[in-house]
Amino acid sequence: MAALDLLVIGSGVSGLSAAVRASSAHRLRVGVITKGQLHQTTTRWAQGGVAAVLGGTDDPDSTDLHLADTLAAGAGLCDIDAVRVLVDEGPRRVSELIAMGAIFDRNVEGDYLKAREGGHSEARILHSRGDATGAEIERALVVAVHDTAASLVEHAFADSLLMDNDRCVGVRYQNSSGALFEMEAKNVLLAAGGAGQLYSVTTNPVEATGDGIAMALSVGAALGDVEFVQFHPTALHHEAMPRPLLSEALRGHGALLRDTNGDRFVDELQPRDVVSRAMMRTMLQQGVEHLYLDATGLEDFAIRFPTIHRSLEIVGLDARTDLLPIAPAAHYTCGGVITDMRGATTVPGLWAAGEVACSGVHGANRLASNSLLEGMVFGPRAVDAIAAGGVPAQPSGAMRTVLTPHDARVRGARLDPPPLPVWGSVDTDPVALRGKVQAAMTRGAGVLRDASSLAETAAALEELMGHVPAADSDPAWLEIRNLIIMGRAVVSAAANRTESRGAHTREDFPETSDDWMLRQVMVRA
Ligand code: SIN
């Protein structure tokens, strides 16, 4: 069989938007492989919505305001041109998605309903079935990709990228029975999501183990911003995993945060990093494991937030009368594989989009509801660039920090990745080992960090590496390897950044420093 023009790894919003565009707009032969079922992705769990300024005669909002809010949340590390692309091209991509069949909520006059979330100066979040936006987008894209892609392979665990000299030419994967296959392609787009599973408490599904980032690092792709792991402030404090999310849109509608005394302690509409930090400090001061979200004043809760209403009902809570127990949970990997503004990585033939990538749009902290938007803008941009000839990475977006590291906007500084991992002997229980990795990361590299907590986590990861069997290619072990590779990268970048900025808070370096107005670029020589 002839090589595909494009092989997409991952089936969330960025991967499927790219696949659909590749075949429908450019007639490329495209294949998609995904680890679980096509719809089983982090995208499906996104509640709040898509931030996009659709415009309208009496709308006080503008793409300039959306840009300004994104830059403010990103705490000095966003690439302004990449953010401009995000906010300007986003509305067109939303319209295309609507044309494809995605349904967003409207009022009786037919106007789209817009919500506000933390860090947004205006109500601009489009949503679907109240709080099921990701599920609706995934549904529409899955239907479209079934009609267009040449090849769709579910339950395919990608374990390595195929290289021909310096060029990526495909992927090796195993199916659910462990049989190995190679799929060749002229171009490979990583759209494999983030690594929320690094932490014991996360809103991410079990599949989010940083596989794409780990594979990219191993073939020499540059990573950036990996120290910035975003914690969502209002995950329900409950044993269910992934943690049920209590969308930021609740605060946008007026829900309040309360401490154990019932007092408010932070402006609820600040960006997520500010709110999560305030919560962690309050929890430590009060010696408690959770605080409360007070949504008792919200009208028509069950109608506006049906998904959340159902998950509360399951655990016996009623938002109309109960204070809802909440604690921060790992939510989003702000950094990843560095790309230019067209998704090109430093490895020819390898492209990246969405949470796996570091395109420059999120900087040190992603603005709420910019993630679905990023996927639908940057996945298709990579495809357009491939169709136009796939020229190598250019100095634009986050790639500037690799190719023109002295750029005054955001400088780049090289950081060696941790030494190559040395795996060990057989540990019979991958589930227990995964739990130990998560516990180490949660203890020392979470919302609040310092030099000694990071050193302890680094030592714990080195020790746990010795329990991972070198020769076992069971996906459960491959996921642990990827988590450890990603965890070591996060800890090393976090230990090196001796300041606090965005989602990276060092208790021993609480100030933001102009000297650190730079992106740490990690690349294996
Ligand atoms: C939320 O609804 O709070 C999550 C949306 C996001 O992660 O941007």
Side-chain angles (χ1 to χ4, degrees):
M1 195 171 70
L4 295 164
D5 297 309
L6 173 64
L7 173 60
V8 178
I9 304 178
S11 59
V13 60
S14 38
L16 294 191
S17 304
V20 170
R21 187 170 185 88
S23 41
S24 55
H26 299 293
R27 306 244 168 265
L28 300 180
R29 272 193 88 240
V30 60
V32 179
I33 69 168
T34 189
K35 205 163 147 178
Q37 288 175 285
L38 218 46
H39 66 271
Q40 212 175 322
T41 67
T42 310
T43 293
R44 185 169 66 109
W45 296 89
Q47 292 181 345
V50 184
V53 181
L54 295 188
T57 39
D58 50 2
D59 190 350
D61 202 3
S62 69
T63 50
D64 286 348
L65 283 176
H66 187 186
L67 177 120
D69 292 343
T70 303
L71 296 179
L77 293 196
C78 296
D79 181 274
I80 188 165
D81 295 344
V83 179
R84 175 54 76 194
V85 160
L86 177 82
V87 301
D88 283 356
E89 291 185 11
R92 206 176 326 140
R93 298 291 168 244
V94 171
S95 302
E96 284 169 8
L97 202 60
I98 291 167
M100 224 180 272
I103 297 167
F104 289 92
D105 298 334
R106 299 175 188 244
N107 63 16
V108 282
E109 284 83 39
D111 301 322
Y112 286 108
L113 291 168
K114 291 178 280 186
R116 192 166 166 206
E117 293 182 359
H120 289 273
S121 52
E122 294 290 336
R124 63 169 73 100
I125 320 295
L126 304 172
H127 46 85
S128 198
R129 285 181 276 135
D131 52 8
T133 316
E136 173 60 10
I137 289 176
E138 189 70 21
R139 183 200 62 74
L141 286 169
V142 165
V143 171
V145 83
H146 270 297
D147 290 342
T148 53
S151 154
L152 296 174
V153 189
E154 298 182 302
H155 305 289
F157 192 102
D159 68 9
S160 51
L161 296 166
L162 303 177
M163 300 295 289
D164 182 5
N165 294 314
D166 289 340
R167 189 176 175 88
C168 179
V169 292
V171 69
R172 192 178 81 151
Y173 70 91
Q174 53 176 283
N175 69 7
S176 51
S177 324
L180 284 176
F181 298 88
E182 290 189 348
M183 199 180 278
E184 291 180 6
K186 294 176 194 152
N187 295 278
V188 173
L189 174 67
L190 283 175
Q197 286 289 322
L198 267 178
Y199 294 88
S200 313
V201 172
T202 177
T203 60
N204 287 191
V206 286
E207 290 85 4
T209 51
D211 310 333
I213 300 174
M215 275 194 297
L217 181 66
S218 72
V219 297
L223 308 185
D225 291 343
V226 289
E227 62 272 42
F228 300 109
V229 178
Q230 181 176 80
F231 283 72
H232 195 295
T234 57
L236 186 67
H237 183 67
H238 181 266
E239 66 203 13
M241 203 63 76
R243 280 285 200 268
L245 191 59
L246 303 185
S247 174
E248 191 136 348
L250 293 171
R251 278 176 282 136
H253 271 65
L256 302 174
L257 292 170
R258 298 199 183 278
D259 66 12
T260 43
N261 304 318
D263 295 328
R264 290 175 67 192
F265 55 92
V266 67
D267 171 355
E268 286 82 358
L269 286 179
Q270 287 289 310
R272 279 180 194 163
D273 58 328
V274 179
V275 179
S276 288
R277 209 162 30 241
M279 285 181 65
M280 283 309 292
R281 291 202 168 124
T282 306
M283 285 157 63
L284 286 170
Q285 272 162 18
Q286 302 193 335
V288 291
E289 286 188 355
H290 66 83
L291 299 169
Y292 295 97
L293 185 69
D294 178 355
T296 53
L298 271 58
E299 283 176 13
D300 299 328
F301 188 95
I303 296 169
R304 173 62 183 84
F305 298 106
T307 311
I308 298 173
H309 176 70
R310 269 194 305 279
S311 56
L312 291 174
E313 246 179 1
I314 291 168
V315 300
L317 289 166
D318 183 342
R320 288 168 303 185
T321 49
D322 298 322
L323 290 184
L324 309 174
I326 43 151
H331 185 62
Y332 193 83
T333 309
C334 296
V337 185
I338 293 185
T339 69
D340 68 9
M341 285 191 333
R342 305 153 320 132
T345 72
T346 48
V347 174
L350 183 66
W351 306 75
E355 191 174 355
V356 75
C358 171
S359 63
V361 296
H362 304 312
N365 176 46
R366 172 175 70 79
L367 183 66
S369 285
N370 266 357
S371 56
L372 294 172
L373 189 70
E374 183 194 21
M376 61 182 84
V377 168
F378 284 87
R381 277 180 79 82
V383 167
D384 292 350
I386 290 166
V391 286
Q394 307 291 301
S396 69
M399 189 60 78
R400 263 194 261 265
T401 52
V402 179
L403 299 180
T404 50
H406 301 300
D407 192 295
R409 279 163 275 215
V410 175
R411 286 172 292 128
R414 291 275 166 149
L415 174 65
D416 286 334
L420 281 171
V422 181
W423 309 116
S425 55
V426 178
D427 180 311
T428 49
D429 185 3
V431 176
L433 198 68
R434 183 167 170 146
K436 287 178 188 169
V437 172
Q438 293 170 331
M441 288 298 294
T442 304
R443 265 196 314 274
V447 178
L448 307 176
R449 307 128 178 221
D450 62 28
S452 75
S453 78
L454 289 163
E456 277 166 27
T457 301
L461 294 178
E462 296 307 300
E463 199 274 319
L464 292 169
M465 230 172 8
H467 297 271
V468 178
D472 198 325
S473 56
D474 184 289
W477 285 118
L478 295 178
E479 285 185 333
I480 291 175
R481 276 186 220 158
N482 291 338
L483 285 172
I484 290 179
I485 290 168
M486 184 66 193
R488 290 169 88 216
V490 170
V491 169
S492 145
N496 203 48
R497 183 177 284 278
T498 47
E499 65 151 2
S500 290
R501 180 185 296 273
H504 168 73
T505 302
R506 289 277 304 248
E507 294 283 51
D508 46 353
F509 292 97
E511 306 298 329
T512 300
S513 156
D514 286 347
D515 295 343
W516 276 102
M517 180 98 154
L518 53 81
R519 172 164 295 115
Q520 300 196 85
V521 175
M522 193 177 276
V523 61
R524 199 171 294 295

